[in-house]
Structure formats: C-alpha cells, structure tokens
C-alpha cells in the first residue's frame, strides 16, 4: 500500500482527569507521526471537556507502519503535565472514507478524545473493504501482537 495524505480533525475530549485541587486543567493535544511531523492544538483553559475542532494533515509515507500518536497534555506554568495518550494504526483505513471515533486515553485514570480521520488518497480499496474504524494500539507489550509480530 503506497502512501498519501491523511486529513485529521481533533474534535474534542471528554471526562479528562482533573489532578488539580483548586482549578481545572488547561488541556491541549500534541499529534505526532514520525519524529519530524507534528501538530499542536490550542490549550483550552479550565476544562475537562475541551472542544478544539482543529484540523491538520500529514503526509503518510508508509500506511502499513506509520502510527498516529496523540498526546493529551495540561498546560502548566513550569512544566506541562501528561494527561494520557493513544496510538492509532493507519493500515486499516479505507481510501476516501472518513472515520469519526472516540478513543480512550491510555496511561490516564479517565478520558477520551474524538478524532476524525480521512485517508484522502491511500488505504484499502473502497470497493473491496467495508469502512473499518482503526483500533487504538494498546500500550506496552501487546503492541507486537497488534503489528503481526
């Protein structure tokens, strides 16, 4: 499967964990695909249910191997704090299809992020495959099983 363009919309998050005692978190999302490709949403002040509707696109070089990494962070004065993350495999996306899905955050007591993925010009052929929502990759050793190792 050859590469192409992935259009992405970071829609919103819900039920984010609030570790603050006085106020609420100021969440934002950092998106990586590979070491040199990234995007960051704006931070939303005092929210456990932020709405961004932020869009970006990535050049996908190898849909079989490329992983979309989403990291939820809390904007803090000294150092931003991690609030959870999710990795999404791209190899089951259908060419031209839009997937709108809530992903549960890993490494977090609670929280989900809603993302829309559009494999513009790469992916499984639309006539040979039903649209498939890409599963989030598990954290830890189960990753090798998901990747077919």
């Amino acid at each position: 499967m050859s590469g192409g363009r992935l259009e992405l919309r970071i829609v919103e998050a819900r039920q984010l964990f609030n570790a603050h005692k006085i106020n609420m978190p100021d969440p934002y999302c950092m998106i990586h695909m590979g070491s040199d490709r990234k995007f960051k949403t704006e931070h939303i002040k005092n929210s456990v249910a932020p709405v961004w509707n932020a869009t970006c696109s990535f050049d996908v070089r190898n849909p079989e191997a490329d992983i979309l990494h989403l990291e939820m962070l809390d904007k803090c004065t000294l150092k931003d704090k991690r609030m959870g993350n999710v990795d999404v495999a791209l190899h089951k996306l259908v060419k031209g299809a839009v997937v709108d899905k809530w992903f549960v955050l890993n490494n977090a007591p609670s929280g989900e992020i809603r993302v829309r993925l559009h494999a513009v010009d790469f992916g499984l052929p639309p006539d040979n495959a039903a649209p498939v929502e890409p599963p989030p990759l598990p954290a830890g050793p189960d990753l090798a099983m998901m990747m077919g190792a």
Side-chain angles (χ1 to χ4, degrees):
M1 186 182 330
S2 64
R5 191 171 88 241
L6 174 69
E7 292 179 350
L8 180 68
R9 179 178 296 267
I10 306 301
V11 181
E12 61 187 318
R14 64 183 176 196
Q15 301 170 348
L16 296 176
F17 180 70
N18 184 7
H20 297 268
K21 293 182 177 167
I22 298 173
N23 56 3
M24 297 196 1
D26 301 328
Y28 68 95
C29 187
M30 181 74 73
I31 302 99
H32 300 267
M33 189 159 37
S35 61
D36 59 342
R37 298 173 279 169
K38 58 182 148 181
F39 175 79
K40 180 175 126 178
T41 66
E42 293 183 32
H43 74 276
I44 305 295
K45 289 187 174 278
N46 296 313
S47 181
V48 292
V51 176
W52 294 284
N53 275 314
T55 59
C56 62
S57 63
F58 289 96
D59 291 325
V60 177
R61 296 181 184 124
N62 183 354
E64 292 294 324
D66 283 350
I67 303 293
L68 186 68
H69 179 76
L70 297 104
E71 177 101 30
M72 188 71 58
L73 297 133
D74 179 8
K75 180 90 173 144
C76 295
T77 305
L78 298 176
K79 183 178 178 187
D80 295 353
K81 296 178 185 170
R82 294 179 179 193
M83 298 179 72
N85 65 299
V86 64
D87 289 335
V88 180
L90 305 177
H91 67 277
K92 291 188 179 179
L93 291 176
V94 175
K95 184 177 182 178
V98 175
V99 174
D100 188 327
K101 180 174 169 104
W102 284 98
F103 292 96
V104 175
L105 293 174
N106 296 317
N107 304 310
S110 65
E112 296 177 282
I113 185 166
R114 182 177 167 209
V115 179
R116 287 187 190 148
L117 303 153
H118 179 205
V120 175
D121 51 4
F122 75 93
L124 299 173
D127 52 352
N128 294 339
V132 177
E133 292 184 0
L137 294 174
D142 293 334
L143 178 62
M145 290 175 31
M146 289 292 292
M147 298 304 290

